[in-house]
Each structure stands twice: as C-alpha cells, then as structure tokens.
Amino acid sequence: MIDLNTVTYAYPSGDEVLSDISLVLPKGGLLGLAGANGSGKSTLLALMAGLFAPTRGSLEVAGRVSPGNEGSIRSVCRLVMQDADLQILGATVEEDLLLGRKRSGEVVEEARAMAERLNLLKYWDHPVQTLSWGTKRKLCLAAALLDKPRVLLLDEPFSGLDYPGMKEMRALIRDNRAAGLTQVVASHDLESLIDLVDGLAVLDNGVLALNGPAETVLDRVAEHGVRAPGSWTACRTVVPWDGEPA
Ligand code: ADP
C-alpha cells in the first residue's frame, strides 16, 4: 500500500532532511515511525500524505506515484498533524465534522456516531476554542476517519492525552487495524506504540537507521536517540522522612 523507493527530501530553504529512505508497508499494516525530535518523522509523513513530492527517489501510495500524483494521494490519505489548531476549520465540533460534506440526515448521523466513538458527542455544539488540546486532536482524527481514507497517518497521536485519552487512542488505532486500514503512527513514545505496531522504522537525522519487526529492532533504538520501553531509570534524590505528617 505504501512503497518508498530511495526517497530524499530537502526543504526549498535548506539542507537535505531525508536521505534515501526505502521501505514498504503492506495493505492493512501498521508501521510505527520513531526517532528523536528533528529526525524527519513529520516530513516523511507529509511526503506519504502527498503534501509535497520527494526531491529525489519516488513513493507510491495506494497505487499513486509521487512525484506527479500528489493530489491523487491526498484524496486517499489523511494526515492528522501534531498541531490540531492547523487542521480544525469549523467553529464548533458539529461544524468541523460536517464541513465540506453535503448535509443530510444520514451524514449528520454518521458524524454524530463518529463523535460518539471518540467520546466527543458531549462537546457537539461547543466552540472549538473551549476544547482541551487532547480533545482537539481527537476532533481532527474524527474528521479524518469520516473521510474514509485508505491510509491514515498519525503524527504524535499520544501527545497531550491523559491516561484515559491514551487508552482511547490506542483502542481506536487497534480498531482501525482490525478494520483493515493501513496506518503509520509517528511517535517518540515507544511505550505507547510498541505493542500496537507490526513493524518499527527508526529515523536518525534523516536516515532510516532501523526497520523491521519491533522485537528485532527494540534493543538498538537507544543508539538512535529513542528511549526503549521500560528503560527509564529514576534519578530522583530520596529525601529521608523523619517528620510527622502535616
Ligand atoms: P520530526 O518530526 O522527527 O521532529 P521534522 O520532519 O519536523 O522532524 O524535521 C526534520 C528536519 O527538517 C529538522 O531539521 C527541521 O528543522 C527541518 N524542517 C522541518 N520543517 C521545515 C520547513 N518547513 N522548512 C525548513 N526546514 C524544515
């Protein structure tokens, strides 16, 4: 479903930020994309979403090739970006979920069912400015899923979510997978990601440093600026307790 062939990208203003990335994700697969800040995850997702074309090399998404067919890639692919404010266009949850759709009883019902699924129905007529960061991100995801994409790309979907929100997001990604949706999830938080994905790709400074089944690459992620699950060592000072509780 996604096939990257020596994809290289330089922003018009600067240096190469992705170099010779080749990887394949079959239909219905779920790829985790990890890497330190600035390693190129968001840029790679943007290329897969058809927002711009590789400077060198090529990629194919659902049979559409870039460079050349970015518009067609955008019609089958949805990218949920890290910054929800860039993607929310409606003034209320209702307006945002119905934007660009021909309003009918059926369409409204579908949008309400999606809102229900993401625990957003209680905010249906709320102004979007009043929503929390995590809720705004869920709204973007709901809008993306309503478009019924063939490929869903999630950029740091767990950031800003509390524990229930995190569980909800993980369950949703699992449900999408069960429904056969092809997904790429970029996250620096392997703890939340690792048991969800089929494969893990690790970017290090624009280069694909590791790529394979999660269990085969996990013990090497730390070499590339990614914290392995469970590897956190507490470094707090223990203050001896010798007083009475206040
Ligand atoms: P990540 O998502 O892993 O944090 P990014 O893809 O955002 O990485 O960034 C990769 C590199 O590209 C960084 O060095 C970043 O500064 C640079 N970059 C990102 N966006 C732009 C842009 N619009 N113009 C120029 N350079 C950019």
Side-chain angles (χ1 to χ4, degrees), residues 92-110:
T92 62
V93 169
E94 173 184 14
E95 205 180 298
D96 196 66
L97 291 182
L98 294 176
L99 210 73
R101 301 178 214 283
K102 220 169 175 177
R103 200 179 174 108
S104 68
E106 197 184 330
V107 165
V108 174
E109 246 345 280
E110 201 183 3

Side-chain angles (χ1 to χ4, degrees), residues 11-15 17-18 34-44 82 155-156 186 203 205:
Y11 282 99
S13 56
D15 299 334
V17 296
L18 291 173
N37 286 341
S39 58
K41 303 183 296 296
S42 301
T43 306
L44 191 57
Q82 234 176 310
D155 200 353
E156 297 285 354
L203 287 177
N205 210 9

